[in-house]
């Protein structure tokens, strides 16, 4: 077949063969190339260098892409465990292991205190970095000198946080303040400053938040009411079709009110005291007092008969008490004085016969029902002066930009590039096989014309065998022997019955020169 091809076809065949070999080689290489998985990312230069050195010593294949290190997916877990056994990657934050390096010889109390506070700062930073939203953390504690009799020294601290995405949430910053304050003796939460490394100061020293996180501050209560109302309205108008704002006016001063009430109409007899006194006296009346009555033997005789006296006295005291009510009211800071809520609800959008979007406000009956639901959600009290404003207006929809991110990528999205490469190589191989190799292999060599004096065959029999007549009706009459079957029919029958001998005969006949002797059958 190769000898019967012309030079052009030989060139095409050679190029097609090379392309096919390269396509197969590419398919095999892509199929056998191991997939790379993320080992570590976001490491500093020194830690990344130590990890790469350890991987090279272990003979593991790795790939560095920016600040990320990739290894083969099948070796990733084993590599992580092996590196962890070596203490890699080093986080760069030292904790209580600093105290292990201290010895009793040559270590002063000042050196121990400095190492202790450094270790505590490192442990607190490790705890903060353990959060999935924190990229980096640094803690600085100013405890001052150790003076037992100095009561004026209060420790302070500062925390610098770096977020992975966006800014540090206020709730997390407040939690960091309480965590650091709880770890240091005598440190108050308001003496801890939290700083966002990218955005600036989050909470300054002395900020008062009204208690621990989640203790029910004003902002937390307003946020909870707003969330409840949005969730309630979304069930009817759909998500994103209601905007709610809540403002809570609270009492900022505390007071104690004592009230005493007396009811004069309700008197009660409490006690009764009774006292009775009787005085009886008898005697003769004495005469007039003269000089003689003063003498020893003077006139002492009475002037006449007897005299008596009787005296009775009675005293009674009744004690009454009135009904009394004493009330003491303590009003602390944070009591709700007034709640105002503003709710904006999107209208109803429909498509008319022309395909245009038509907006219409919601019916009044529906707005009334929604207003009652909102009032119930916030605990509406008209005596307190609460106000709820509910309006139906058209909300402007910003244009959708970008591409929706799939939060749970599957096999196709993770291996899209590999599948595309495999598909392209497979397509190239199929095209080469169908449109290049197949036509070349299907090409039959052209046989030379038969010699007119073909031995051992009737005249015209071989020609009729190789190229049968297209139209038997117009074909010339075939050779026959005494009215029997034609020579061509006899040759076809012989070929079908003895194909091996026929092939050998035709081969010898084709290869025999014109002046050669007759080849026996």
């Amino acid at each position: 077949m190769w000898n019967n091809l012309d030079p052009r076809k030989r060139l095409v065949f050679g190029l097609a063969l090379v392309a096919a070999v390269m396509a197969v080689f590419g398919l095999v290489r892509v199929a056998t190339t191991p997939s790379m998985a993320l080992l570590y990312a976001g490491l500093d230069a020194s830690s990344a260098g130590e990890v790469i050195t350890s991987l090279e010593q272990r003979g593991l294949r790795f790939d560095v892409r920016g600040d990320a290190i990739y290894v083969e997916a099948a070796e990733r877990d084993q590599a992580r465990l092996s590196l962890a056994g070596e203490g890699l990657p080093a986080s760069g934050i030292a904790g209580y292991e600093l105290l292990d390096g201290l010895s009793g010889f040559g270590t002063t109390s000042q050196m121990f205190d400095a190492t202790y506070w450094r270790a505590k700062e490192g442990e607190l930073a490790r705890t903060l970095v353990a959060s999935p939203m924190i990229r980096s953390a640094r803690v600085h504690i100013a405890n001052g000198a150790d003076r037992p009799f100095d009561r004026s020294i209060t420790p302070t601290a500062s925390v610098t946080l770096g977020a992975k995405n966006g800014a540090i949430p206020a709730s997390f910053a407040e939690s960091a303040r309480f965590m650091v304050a709880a770890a240091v003796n005598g440190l108050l939460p308001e003496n801890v400053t939290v700083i966002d490394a990218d955005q600036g100061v989050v909470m300054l020293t002395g900020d008062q938040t009204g208690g621990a996180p989640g203790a029910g501050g004003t902002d937390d209560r307003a946020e909870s009411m707003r969330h409840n109302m949005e969730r309630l309205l979304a069930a009817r108008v759909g998500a994103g079709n209601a905007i709610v704002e809540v403002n809570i006016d609270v009492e900022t001063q505390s007071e104690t009110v004592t009230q005493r009430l007396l009811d004069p109409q309700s008197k009660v007899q409490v006690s009764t005291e009774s006292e009775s006194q009787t005085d009886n006296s008898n005697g003769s009346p004495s005469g007039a007092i003269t000089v003689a009555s003063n003498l020893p033997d003077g006139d002492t005789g009475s002037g006449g008969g007897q005299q008596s006296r009787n005296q009775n006295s009675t005293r009674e005291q009744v004690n009454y008490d009135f009904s009394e009510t004493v009330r003491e009211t303590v009003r602390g800071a944070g009591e709700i004085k007034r709640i105002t809520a503003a709710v904006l609800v999107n209208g109803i959008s429909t498509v008319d016969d022309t395909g245009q979007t038509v907006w219409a406000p919601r019916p009044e009956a529906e707005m009334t029902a929604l207003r009652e639901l909102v009032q119930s959600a916030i605990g509406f009290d008209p005596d307190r002066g609460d106000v709820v404003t509910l309006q139906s207006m058209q909300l402007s929809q910003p244009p959708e930009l970008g591409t929706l991110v799939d939060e749970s990528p599957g096999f196709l999205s993770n291996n899209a590039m590999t599948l595309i490469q495999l598909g392209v190589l497979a397509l190239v191989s199929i095209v080469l096989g169908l449109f290049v190799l197949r036509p070349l292999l299907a090409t039959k060599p052209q046989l030379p014309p038969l010699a007119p004096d073909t031995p051992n065959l009737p005249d015209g029999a071989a020609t009729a065998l190789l190229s049968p007549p297209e139209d038997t009706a117009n074909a010339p009459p075939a050779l026959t022997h005494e009215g029997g079957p034609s020579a061509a029919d006899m040759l076809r029958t012989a070929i079908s019955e003895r194909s091996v001998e026929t092939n050998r005969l035709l081969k010898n006949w084709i290869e025999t020169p014109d002046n050669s002797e007759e080849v026996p059958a």
Side-chain angles (χ1 to χ4, degrees), residues 387-399:
V387 177
V388 175
T389 303
L390 181 64
Q391 296 292 336
S392 177
M393 298 182 180
Q394 185 176 6
L395 301 181
S396 60
Q397 299 295 335

Side-chain angles (χ1 to χ4, degrees), residues 142-154:
N143 193 29
D146 188 8
R147 299 175 183 177
F149 299 101
D150 193 351
R151 304 295 184 182
S152 61
I153 297 178
T154 56

Side-chain angles (χ1 to χ4, degrees), residues 482-501:
E482 298 178 357
S486 63
D489 294 337
M490 295 174 61
L491 182 59
R492 292 191 186 94
T493 303
I495 290 174
S496 62
E497 293 178 355
R498 305 179 63 182
S499 59
V500 178
E501 292 80 356

Side-chain angles (χ1 to χ4, degrees), residues 74-344:
E75 302 290 341
R76 183 187 61 181
D77 296 338
Q78 183 178 0
R80 285 182 177 177
L81 294 177
S82 301
L83 293 173
E86 298 178 2
L88 298 176
S91 61
I93 302 176
Y96 285 132
E97 63 269 13
L98 293 175
L99 301 178
D100 299 336
L102 296 179
S103 60
F105 299 96
T107 303
T108 62
S109 60
Q110 290 81 4
M111 295 173 59
F112 179 82
D113 291 342
T115 307
Y116 172 76
W117 287 110
R118 181 184 174 190
K120 184 176 285 291
E121 292 173 353
E123 291 295 332
L124 292 174
R126 284 179 177 178
T127 305
L128 293 173
V129 172
S131 175
M133 67 176 63
I134 300 301
R135 182 186 72 255
S136 61
R138 292 291 300 273
V139 179
H140 301 278
I141 301 175
N143 193 29
D146 188 8
R147 299 175 183 177
F149 299 101
D150 193 351
R151 304 295 184 182
S152 61
I153 297 178
T154 56
T156 58
S158 62
V159 181
T160 304
L161 301 176
K164 292 183 178 179
N165 297 311
I168 301 295
S171 58
F172 185 87
E174 190 175 359
S175 301
R177 294 178 63 185
F178 278 88
M179 187 200 71
V180 174
V184 180
N185 186 21
L187 180 60
L188 300 178
E190 55 267 20
N191 292 334
V192 179
T193 302
V194 181
I195 303 175
D196 191 335
D198 302 325
Q199 303 295 332
V201 177
V202 176
M203 289 187 177
L204 296 174
T205 303
D207 288 349
Q208 300 291 338
T209 58
T218 304
D219 295 338
D220 294 339
R221 286 184 287 181
E223 181 65 21
S224 177
M225 289 183 182
R226 188 184 67 83
H227 176 71
N228 293 336
M229 284 191 288
E230 286 184 350
R231 183 168 56 88
L232 186 64
L233 294 173
R236 171 59 184 173
V237 300
N241 289 325
I243 300 176
V244 181
E245 291 295 336
V246 180
N247 184 25
I248 301 179
D249 187 9
V250 298
E251 182 67 45
T252 58
Q253 298 179 354
S254 60
E255 62 177 351
T256 302
V257 180
T258 303
Q259 186 179 12
R260 182 180 180 185
L261 300 177
L262 297 176
D263 188 5
Q265 301 298 330
S266 58
K267 59 181 180 179
V268 179
Q269 182 177 348
V270 178
S271 62
T272 302
E273 296 181 1
S274 298
E275 182 181 357
S276 178
Q277 184 178 3
T278 302
D279 186 9
N280 296 324
S281 61
N282 295 319
S284 57
S286 60
I289 298 176
T290 61
V291 176
S293 60
N294 293 326
L295 294 177
D297 295 333
D299 187 9
T300 58
S302 58
Q306 296 294 326
Q307 185 179 4
S308 62
R309 186 181 62 178
N310 296 327
Q311 183 178 358
N312 296 325
S313 61
T314 301
R315 185 169 63 90
E316 183 178 6
Q317 181 179 357
V318 180
N319 296 324
Y320 293 91
D321 196 0
F322 295 93
S323 177
E324 179 182 6
T325 301
V326 180
R327 296 178 180 176
E328 183 176 358
T329 304
V330 179
R331 297 177 180 176
E335 182 181 358
I336 297 178
K337 295 168 45 177
R338 184 186 181 190
I339 299 177
T340 57
V343 182
L344 179 61

Side-chain angles (χ1 to χ4, degrees), residues 15-54:
L15 295 177
L17 181 61
V18 173
V21 172
M22 294 180 63
V24 173
F25 177 75
L27 287 173
V28 173
R29 183 176 181 181
V30 172
T32 57
T33 300
S35 59
M36 307 298 286
L38 178 63
L39 180 64
Y40 294 111
L43 299 178
D44 55 275
S46 59
S47 300
E50 294 176 355
V51 171
I52 292 176
T53 303
S54 179

